[in-house]
Amino acid sequence: MKNPKIVVLGAGYGGLMTVKHLEKKLGSHQAEIILVNKNDYHYETTWLHEASAGTLGPDRVRYDISSVIDRNKVELIKAVALEVKTEENKVILDNGELDYDYLVIALGAEPETFGIKGLKEYALSITNVNAARKIREHIEYQFALYHSEAEKREERLTIVVGGAGFTGIEFLGELVNRIPKLCKEYDIDQKQVRIVCVEAAPMVLPGFDPELVQYATALLESKGVEFRIGTAIKEATPDGIIIGVGEDETEEIKASTVIWAAGVRGNSIIEASGFENMRGRVKVNLDLRAPGHDNVFIIGDCALIINEEANRPYPPTAQIAMQHGEVCAQNIANLVAGSTDLNTFVFDDKGSVCSLGESDAIGIVFGKKVKGKTASFMKKAVDNRALFMIGGPSLVFKKGKFKFF
Amino acid sequence: MKNPKIVVLGAGYGGLMTVKHLEKKLGSHQAEIILVNKNDYHYETTWLHEASAGTLGPDRVRYDISSVIDRNKVELIKAVALEVKTEENKVILDNGELDYDYLVIALGAEPETFGIKGLKEYALSITNVNAARKIREHIEYQFALYHSEAEKREERLTIVVGGAGFTGIEFLGELVNRIPKLCKEYDIDQKQVRIVCVEAAPMVLPGFDPELVQYATALLESKGVEFRIGTAIKEATPDGIIIGVGEDETEEIKASTVIWAAGVRGNSIIEASGFENMRGRVKVNLDLRAPGHDNVFIIGDCALIINEEANRPYPPTAQIAMQHGEVCAQNIANLVAGSTDLNTFVFDDKGSVCSLGESDAIGIVFGKKVKGKTASFMKKAVDNRALFMIGGPSLVFKKGKFKFF
């Protein structure tokens, strides 16, 4: 009898966690495990704001997948998954196709531009290592151009961040630390640099504790960030953005750099494959299977699960994706063993820390509010924990974040 | 009686050397010394190829002028000199004007594009710190863009260097060391990077010893440089360059980066001020005064002096500019003292070393051919000597180049 073939799409937090747990639970005589990923490396999505701002080198935010998986048990295929043909139990890749007995879709999120004109063309999104490197270089290039042009263009030194959610705020936290160094390197008076954060919602970091939000906002403002809250971006142009002001007025903010960090959606493979979805996210069963598909699990940012207490979906976070991965691996192991008794995902909230640069942060950890250096220390612990859970102590040692205050 | 007012335009090798020697020779009761410079820093023109390639940080190639001059004796004015009105003994600055009793024009060279179409618009020249920073960022930005674009454009990774003279070759030497690091950082297969050096003359480094030239060419070729010697650039375009092939044919080389390093001319202020000149260089008297002007000295790259032995002009080098500065300062001191007995410039050739990256070089030092690590060591000694002559041991300590083999 042929071993069942388990295909995991995506080596992000959810996918890698699934594979690591499958490795432990299943012997190579019990199942064939295939991991499909676009790159031969995993990157820390939650650290990309640092690579984008230039405060962490792009190589620090990634590691080779082959260094954390058991190559005797797991086959790694470098490919882009384009579509799942569920009726044929088959995945279409950009360089071939792959059949499966069990499928895990762990492909992560994509930026959501809500149909705002020009954003796709003229704004940059913090989506992956390539995008982060491009953002870093784009900003530095504008600074480099400033003094070498005969006609001085102030907009070279204006950076607009669309969105004051987690990603937007964490990026701003890094940016305000990076700017003084860039100014020194490129002989630019820091007063000429303008950083504007535009957020359509009426508040910064919606859902976060108001006292902590106040702390974060005051800190970023003291370092030069202008907040335009309750303000919608109407359009992005080659010259900057157009925002709404009052009822019908608009205002142009000229800026050579526009970062869009205001929203994510599920992966487009979800729509391409015909799953019922809301913005690329599938309302999965609590055993993490797609409704109507007994052998297809959808985890991480593409899975939509309602938090009954708050009566709204859980946000797409690394913490949740990793917990999905654990449950998903267990359920597949059960199915392979012939059991239909599957586990249910229950979110174990370990808290949430939003960094504000190298040595500051805000957060709720074990139900307690933290801010400043304590919170920053906790944030690094959170980041190291993700490394530890996937790659053990050696990965923490290689890629971990340490700071001795 | 009013003290005579000595105005020195430019704080490059020649200008700074003049000021340093004037400081020593004249007390503050004897003369007023004014140094006019565009920036408040001096930069090492001979190191700009390193900053451009990204192998040396932009701050390593410059230092504050105020750290090397005696502020009690010398007034530093930050301004761009636009024109000299010799009949009125006056200099027009971008932010005012300045009269003088003695003037030293030490404003350095500008790129010469020989009327080749598109070069000014589409090529970058290694002219100053701003240009060097821009070149470095431009190249890195192309690498960053490569993987983030859906459609792969090979020309992003093509760099054309126009000119196989000193600057072109030294820049190539740095570039071939930098490329492997950039490739690693941006996940680029080094085979995809193309570096083409186009030179209209029939040889690399004209005037250099053929055996040494052979060594340099072979080294650069082994590191991936394609030489197109005896080949003229006909035009630069937004897409790259058009070169001449054979009699009437042309060929396009698509390249996102074109560096023009094939020629310099004197400063445009020379023409603007009505001095008789050849491409911005004035055939000065041997006492370094402009013919017909008893109180105007022209030194460095704008001075044209014939090397009688070789029957051609001395090249515009830092070594010669510094020797000019010494003679010029002595002559001004003599004039201030009422003497008309002026010294004559005699070139004291200390040799010439062309670097080929961090640890390789070729050169003639004290009449002897050197290459490899020895030459590279000599090159660093040359660079440190310039620092020493202007800023003494403390400047060598702060900005010097040391490598322990």
Side-chain angles (χ1 to χ4, degrees), chain A residues 41 57-59 62 124 129-131 133-134 136-142 144-145 147-149 184-187, chain B residues 41 57-59 62 124 129-131 133-134 136-142 144-145 147-149 184-187:
Chain A
Y41 57 84
D59 265 340
R62 62 176 177 176
L124 304 165
V129 170
N130 288 329
R133 292 189 293 212
K134 181 176 164 186
R136 182 185 71 157
E137 291 303 332
H138 181 88
I139 293 171
E140 289 195 25
Y141 193 47
Q142 304 311 311
L145 288 175
H147 271 308
S148 62
E149 287 169 330
K184 187 162 180 294
E185 189 165 350
Y186 292 98
D187 293 318
Chain B
Y41 57 84
D59 265 340
R62 62 176 178 177
L124 304 165
V129 170
N130 288 328
R133 292 188 294 212
K134 182 175 163 185
R136 182 185 69 156
E137 291 302 333
H138 181 89
I139 293 170
E140 289 195 26
Y141 192 46
Q142 305 311 312
L145 289 175
H147 272 308
S148 62
E149 288 170 330
K184 187 161 181 294
E185 190 166 349
Y186 292 98
D187 293 318

Side-chain angles (χ1 to χ4, degrees), chain A residues 53-67:
Chain A
T55 47
L56 205 62
D59 265 340
R60 281 290 311 279
V61 305
R62 62 176 177 176
Y63 51 80
D64 281 341
I65 295 166
S66 59
S67 70

